[in-house]
Amino acid sequence: MRQSSLVVVANRLPIDDSVAPDGACEWRSSPGGLVSALHPLLRHTPATWVGWAGGTGPAPALPDVDRVRMHTVPLSSEDLRDHYEGFANSTLWPLYHDAVEQPEYHRRWWEAYQRVNQRFAEATAEVAERGAVVWVQDYHLQLVPGLLRELRPDLRIGFFLHVPFPPPELFMQLPRRAELLRGMLGADLIGFQRAQAAHNFAQLVAKVLDLPATDRRVGVGDRVVRIGAFPVSIDTAEMAALAGRPDVAARARRLRHDLGDPDHVILSVDRMDYTKGIEQRLKAYSELLASGHVKVRDTVLVQVAVPSRERVTQYQILRDRVEREVGRINGEFGRVGEPAIHYLTQPFDRAELAALYRIADVMAVTPLRDGMNLVAKEYVAARVDDTGTLLLSEFAGAAAELPQAYLVNPHDLEGLKQKLLTALQADPADVTARMRAMREHLHRNDIHAWARSYLSALDDGGSLLNHISTTG
Ligand code: ADP
Ligand code: G6P
């Protein structure tokens, strides 16, 4: 078994088995913030990525991608149902996102979660060199730090949660709350998107495990576990370069022409997820059309909503409801050749996404709750001419970093309608000033800065940074 000095552990691999039959595979541009964030970082770094390749049955052997080895962990159909669709995406995901859908608790799911976390920990222990750095990602694998420390006390273990970490009132619902907290505390450093999440975590470990905790550190026996906020980001320069490419600019002109050269293009790009506020946004748009504040001929809405977690009932119900509503709105307000909403469910490559961002006069990012929301950051990075208005939910992690966006409470329908109109009518000088400030922030705080700050905290000022390319 080949071993690495840097191991990333995440439920999902950046490629899946469907793209690698003959070794000619590419990084999967699959929708999802975790892969989008880690891809530009690891491309230039010798490392191993331990993860699931997307199917069931025996683990496929995947070729290296750039300098990264793919080490696949198999999931059986029971694991898929009870770990991925069950505990991860029907218990933790809704619970961590303000319980906007009801979290479900089943003992069988918890057993699968433990079993799969154990398998990931064992796979990681096999591929990590002595003294290696292991970086465990996200809510699917919260037990891995603890399990791994038992197997390999020599490793330096980091954990990063890409989603929100909920307040104690919500987390306390979890039947196995103590075990989950203990699992995370196997890490040397636990990173969250926001300071509030680190605060929630500190309160919980004090209350549930009776450990001494501040918002920066937790005492666990003779160890100190550091905690803190490390807001994840994007490869800002790469997105800006892509958006500035002549072929992308030409594609953007073509897209705008195909949309009928309207005065205003509003764009939303989401995974089809109930946390993203798609239904609330459609309702607001529909009411603006009905009241005549927005006219189909002048304004078009492009909604990209790529299906996600399709076998989970709540996601199926959402998709049905969104598609019914889009059909209703187009039936009621569209004209021949002029739909009110252009609705697309396909995955797009990065260049096509960049072209879409370029044509969006208003980007509507209105999740009910979101750990960060990288789409908002990608949009800003792509606005190379400093134009464009970002309408951003207060409940996205990105709102803390981008206060110059038009911030909105997506639960407040009247407020949402009003902010959308304000964004459509914004003064160009004001738009440019806001966009410039947001772009400057993202140039300073890109994914490489994120990795630098996380890894130097994990290392406490040592030499870990040599493990990873953090300069782009
Ligand atoms: P989440 O992680 O919840 O999906 P984010 O906004 O943080 O939300 O990340 C979504 C990522 O998925 C972004 O990098 C975005 O570009 C990408 N993405 C979203 N929709 C598509 C699509 N239709 N095709 C390709 N990539 C997409
Ligand atoms: C979010 C999660 C990631 C996940 C992604 C896509 O970004 O934080 O861990 O990979 O959504 O979801 P999926 O279920 O397709 O992996």
Side-chain angles (χ1 to χ4, degrees), residues 9-238:
V9 193
N11 180 65
R12 199 174 269 294
L13 286 171
I15 53 170
D16 59 33
D17 47 357
S18 61
V19 294
D22 56 354
C25 74
E26 294 191 333
W27 284 92
R28 176 182 175 201
S29 60
S30 105
L34 186 150
V35 167
S36 294
L38 294 177
H39 160 208
L41 269 187
L42 292 178
R43 218 173 11 186
H44 308 295
T45 308
T48 296
W49 187 316
V50 177
W52 167 59
T56 54
L62 298 182
D64 297 0
V65 177
D66 300 321
R67 304 185 69 190
V68 183
R69 266 176 228 155
M70 299 292 133
H71 187 79
T72 41
V73 176
L75 291 192
S76 66
S77 46
E78 290 76 43
D79 298 332
L80 180 75
R81 185 189 64 204
D82 295 341
H83 165 75
Y84 172 72
E85 293 167 353
F87 199 80
N89 284 314
S90 301
T91 303
L92 295 179
W93 180 270
L95 184 71
Y96 285 13
H97 289 88
D98 287 355
V100 292
E101 286 286 346
Q102 184 64 41
E104 285 182 46
Y105 305 106
H106 297 293
R107 282 166 289 185
R108 200 180 62 231
W109 290 359
W110 169 250
E111 282 157 23
Y113 189 77
Q114 287 175 294
R115 175 172 81 233
V116 170
N117 273 252
Q118 181 71 37
R119 198 176 305 146
F120 269 83
E122 285 166 8
T124 307
E126 269 181 49
V127 299
E129 253 173 47
R130 190 161 179 76
V133 176
V134 174
W135 202 355
V136 184
Q137 312 284 325
D138 231 358
Y139 61 101
H140 316 81
L141 300 177
Q142 279 170 237
L143 302 179
V144 168
L147 296 168
L148 190 57
R149 181 167 294 280
E150 275 176 31
L151 294 169
R152 291 286 305 272
D154 60 297
L155 300 174
R156 176 81 62 149
I157 304 172
F159 178 81
F160 185 77
L161 189 70
H162 291 253
V163 299
F165 190 77
E169 308 85 88
L170 277 175
F171 190 85
M172 290 301 280
Q173 286 186 14
L174 260 180
R176 309 311 288 260
R177 58 203 185 193
E179 284 97 321
L180 271 183
L181 295 172
R182 262 191 229 107
M184 292 167 81
L185 287 169
D188 296 297
L189 172 66
I190 304 174
F192 298 95
Q193 300 278 24
R194 303 189 63 167
Q196 180 63 46
H199 177 69
N200 294 345
F201 182 79
Q203 285 200 309
L204 275 160
V205 292
K207 184 179 166 106
V208 176
L209 303 178
D210 199 21
L211 293 173
T214 68
D215 290 3
R216 299 177 144 251
R217 47 193 82 219
V218 181
V220 186
D222 55 2
R223 292 194 306 123
V224 172
V225 177
R226 265 150 341 110
I227 62 179
F230 301 87
V232 77
S233 197
I234 58 163
D235 193 335
T236 313
E238 185 186 54

